[in-house]
Amino acid sequence: MSSMLPPLASGTSKAARLDLPEIGLGRWTPYVVPQLDIDKVYKALDSHKSFELQEGYVIHDLPKFAGFTDYGNLTEDVELSLCREEARRLVQIANSVDSVKMQGRDDLFGLPTQEGYLKLHQLGRKFIQTLRICLHDAAVIQAESGNDEADYERCNDVRSKLLRDFDPMTGQERYSAETDDENRRKYYHALVNYTTAILVRVILQAVRGEYWITSIVAIVARLAAKVKILGNDLPQAVMQTLQKANDTRIRITQQEDRYEQYSLKKPEQYLEEKRKLQASLGSRAGQAGKYFIQMGVLYNAVIGMLYESIAGFAISNMLASGTDDFESSVAIYESFITNEQIIICQQRDGSIGAASEAGITRASTAGFEVCRKIWEGLDRDSRSENKLVWTSIQWKWSQVNEETDALLPNNRQDTVKLCSMKSVIAATVPYSMISGTFAASLDSLVELVRFASAEDGSPLFLVKQPKIICTAILRTSKYETRRPGQVREDGACPVSESFLIRKRAFANSLSRTTEELHTPRLIETIMKNNMKGRITLRDREQSKEVLKDGMKMLNQWVIGDDVITVPYKRYAWGSIALATLLVSGGLAVGFSVGDRIPGVDPSNISAYCWVVTAFILLMAKAIRVESWPWSSFLRGNVPCRSISEVVAVTGINPQVLLAILLRLDNRMHLRTRGPFNTLFRHKSPDAQGGLSIDVPIKTATAIEGGFIPIKVLSDWGTGLVFINTHSWASYNSIADSGTYRGHAICPDIDHPYYWAADERTPCFRLSNIKENSKVFISRVLGVFEQDYYFY
């Protein structure tokens, strides 16, 4: 596989350099059909029996992660046989080029009605609860061996969630309305099989590396076999995992008591420092520390990804209007300022999140590649148009040329109405693996594995992903029936209706070809709008042109801590040339006239020219900026200390400039001051220092700059909070009954102000949140994209 990597070379062309791995981002490999070795996967299933720390150095008889002999009264051989069966299934799917199909008869799953979604909700909860048992078991092993505070906290957190649903006194689930039968078990097993198969496909689309991929597939196989066994008697499984924790606590207490016997301190002194002593004991893993760390990382990550894959099936808000009344959407669009991809998504529970971190968007792109192949192969019912109950999946996909940012002609788009729960699951499981939460989990796994691979030399390769912009919308028929007449909150809309999806995440490439999008006529129209100040950052092509031009101008400037220095040689030296011409002309007139005109002193003409020249130079220095030192003026550089000064000197649109500075805020050391600098992070401690943000920020400008306003209902009433998508932003979201720990809020949108320079557009006042403080969000109302100013 290493032979596929591009060679490192110097003096290569720009195009060749683009293929080289970025520093710190590992090595890249093109996507090829996997060829997993089933024997190596079988060996990884028994890694607890013999684990190789280093070449030739093997340790034996380690604790077994994801073991389940106790849960089903199984022998070790039966357990291993079940795990191998799952491994064989996953390897066959991984090595195949065919699309993954959902197992089971259509009538087994029913129709996408409220009853069908309620069954899916019940199985989704069951899957989640079995995953929590798996996570609890792994955390118990980690706590006993690693003695790390985080493992104890993880155990307590999972235990509290299990006890929330199960009563240890009765050994039954609390207030459960669920029933179980043979068909439900088949339904559940089919869901487990399909989810784990898609998960393996997405991981292989994102990363490669024989050792790590083999280990991950083995872990997925073990977990698949375990959750099926746990699902046979879930209440009993919960009681058993809690008892395991109790037994482990007793062993840990006995060990601590034995350690007390070796202490040189008195018992009362020891009790006072028991917590410190426990921390000082450190890990109890001995020489097997690598095994516990590696297994802990992989198991926690895989369980987390499986949880995110099916979390949308289980209704988290039981006060929702119905199990079959929802919409969810995901989009990837690009920033023309930093060339980053940005993901924004709205989950089924109404939460909205976004990120611009390269690893997260790369993981989502890998998931979309798997989704597209599955969606294009979905069975289409010719009678779906006549069906009253359905769920639709709508997607649009377009590839972007990484050098020119032009849309390539191989666009894909389609809408499929799904008229059975089987097809709904077939479309929804891969859909959930392009969400921001899943992509963040996959990226976390990749980062942790890359860190570990650097330690032990096991290579991990990142699969090259195409640069794309895309959208995917999942919507039920019940939601669609009320959508046209639905009265939205003023100014708020779902992500699917926002301009980010309608105009930025797929542009207009379906109605225009790439050549048409770059015709001189279109570019001329955009430039005319720029000169007239009619810039809109909501349209992809216009945003692309004006932001690219703005970045070209920015690259010629020198941006310091408090000032932006712009080269202005033509203006400065032109003014000096005009002044020199006037002075020279005055002197020439004085010398040429001499005494030929009676009563006229020629020196007065020269003095007058000097006065006019001085006035012109002073006006030339003062008309653009407030302060322009002579040294900078003579060198042709103008120091700008406010947005309006930069606009006056360069002619750049102020909203374009603000969008660029906002997105690059965490990449620069530029400090800002008021009156409209609330969204900027680097503020000058000096009231007279820093670049003055003297132009308010529009809604579209804030979005382009990395702050997506979300309208919410909070403890102060109706207001706005912001999701961050600035450079390198990790996934951050806002959900109902959650907390917001962002940068700025707008607590009052019912009483807007008006800016003197534009009295037609309302202006909202923003407030910064104090560090380490949070705001409670009662309900998320949608993306706010009305044309307002923020200050």
Side-chain angles (χ1 to χ4, degrees), residues 36 109 128 145 173 192 217 220 342 410 442 470 651 700 707 732 741 773:
L36 298 185
F109 303 93
I128 290 174
S145 61
E173 188 171 3
V192 172
V217 172
V220 175
I342 302 167
N410 56 335
L442 178 54
C470 59
F707 293 90
N732 57 113
R741 297 178 180 271
S773 62

Side-chain angles (χ1 to χ4, degrees), residues 20 79 127 313 338 343 391 560 598 636-637 668 682 701 714 757 779:
L20 295 181
E79 178 191 87
F127 201 166
F313 292 156
T338 59
I343 178 174
T391 297
N637 297 323
M668 302 184 301
H682 300 148
T701 305
S714 185
R779 182 185 173 197

Side-chain angles (χ1 to χ4, degrees), residues 200-496:
V200 170
R201 279 284 180 92
V202 172
I203 292 174
L204 288 170
Q205 183 70 41
V207 293
R208 295 296 173 87
E210 183 181 53
Y211 174 79
W212 294 105
I213 292 298
T214 299
S215 300
I216 290 173
V217 172
I219 288 172
V220 175
R222 270 200 168 274
L223 289 173
K226 183 172 181 176
V227 296
K228 289 179 181 179
I229 295 298
L230 295 176
N232 293 333
D233 191 348
L234 192 56
Q236 180 63 26
V238 172
M239 297 307 300
Q240 286 183 257
T241 189
L242 295 177
Q243 185 60 44
K244 283 186 178 181
N246 183 56
D247 296 340
T248 303
R249 179 183 60 82
I250 293 174
R251 288 196 300 270
I252 292 175
T253 303
Q254 291 174 346
Q255 291 177 1
E256 291 176 351
D257 292 339
R258 178 60 60 90
Y259 295 148
E260 181 181 355
Q261 298 177 9
Y262 303 128
S263 175
L264 295 180
K265 294 181 178 293
K266 296 180 180 180
E268 58 272 14
Q269 294 174 319
Y270 175 76
L271 291 175
E272 293 175 359
E273 300 183 5
K274 187 173 183 179
R275 183 177 180 86
K276 295 181 180 179
L277 179 61
Q278 181 180 353
S280 66
L281 291 174
S283 173
R284 292 185 283 263
Q287 300 182 63
K290 177 183 175 181
Y291 170 80
F292 288 105
I293 292 174
Q294 180 175 307
M295 291 296 106
V297 166
L298 294 181
Y299 271 94
N300 291 339
V302 172
I303 293 172
M305 288 188 290
L306 286 172
Y307 174 84
E308 297 297 343
S309 301
I310 46 89
F313 292 156
I315 305 169
S316 57
N317 181 12
M318 298 307 296
L319 300 178
S321 56
T323 57
D324 60 337
D325 185 3
F326 67 89
E327 179 191 72
S328 177
S329 55
V330 181
I332 298 177
Y333 64 99
E334 79 251 75
S335 166
F336 298 115
I337 300 174
T338 59
N339 293 323
E340 294 173 306
Q341 290 176 291
I342 302 167
I343 178 174
I344 179 172
C345 64
Q346 183 169 4
Q347 306 280 33
R348 177 180 171 180
D349 61 1
S351 63
I352 300 176
S356 63
E357 188 176 339
I360 296 176
T361 56
R362 187 187 303 117
S364 185
T365 300
F368 209 97
E369 291 297 303
V370 175
C371 282
R372 189 166 54 85
K373 297 174 183 177
I374 293 175
W375 293 339
E376 290 175 350
L378 288 174
D379 296 332
R380 299 169 186 267
D381 189 346
S382 58
R383 300 168 296 174
S384 61
E385 296 298 330
N386 300 323
K387 294 293 182 71
L388 298 178
V389 179
W390 44 262
T391 297
S392 67
I393 180 70
Q394 175 186 355
W395 78 92
K396 299 177 181 179
W397 177 94
S398 185
Q399 190 171 350
V400 180
N401 187 309
E402 296 191 27
E403 293 187 0
T404 64
D405 287 326
L407 296 175
L408 299 179
N410 56 335
N411 302 309
R412 304 286 182 87
Q413 69 167 345
D414 201 356
T415 301
V416 180
K417 286 188 176 181
L418 312 169
C419 299
S420 69
M421 285 305 298
K422 178 181 177 181
S423 57
V424 168
I425 297 172
T428 306
V429 169
Y431 170 84
S432 64
M433 296 188 189
I434 61 174
S435 67
T437 51
F438 178 89
S441 297
L442 178 54
D443 176 58
S444 176
L445 169 64
V446 172
E447 292 298 320
L448 291 171
V449 169
R450 279 169 49 195
F451 176 78
S453 64
E455 295 292 330
D456 62 11
S458 302
L460 181 76
F461 301 94
L462 300 177
V463 177
K464 285 186 178 180
Q465 306 297 334
K467 184 177 181 180
I468 64 172
I469 55 176
C470 59
T471 66
I473 302 173
L474 187 70
R475 183 181 295 144
T476 63
S477 55
K478 180 176 286 189
Y479 182 90
E480 182 68 23
T481 55
R482 68 178 178 85
R483 177 168 162 255
Q486 185 181 24
V487 180
R488 297 296 304 172
E489 299 287 345
D490 185 28
C493 67
V495 170
S496 61

Side-chain angles (χ1 to χ4, degrees), residues 637-655:
N637 297 323
V638 52
C640 302
R641 293 178 172 82
S642 68
I643 294 295
S644 57
E645 289 184 355
V646 178
V647 171
V649 171
T650 63
I652 189 173
N653 185 281
Q655 296 302 318

Side-chain angles (χ1 to χ4, degrees), residues 642-692:
S642 68
I643 294 295
S644 57
E645 289 184 355
V646 178
V647 171
V649 171
T650 63
I652 189 173
N653 185 281
Q655 296 302 318
V656 172
L657 175 60
L658 286 169
I660 293 174
L661 294 181
L662 272 175
R663 180 156 290 280
L664 299 178
D665 189 22
N666 61 339
R667 294 191 177 193
M668 302 184 301
H669 296 287
L670 180 66
R671 297 177 297 185
T672 63
R673 56 185 170 92
F676 307 117
N677 69 327
T678 305
L679 286 179
F680 286 87
R681 295 179 177 273
H682 300 148
K683 297 178 174 61
S684 175
D686 184 3
Q688 300 300 319
L691 182 75
S692 175

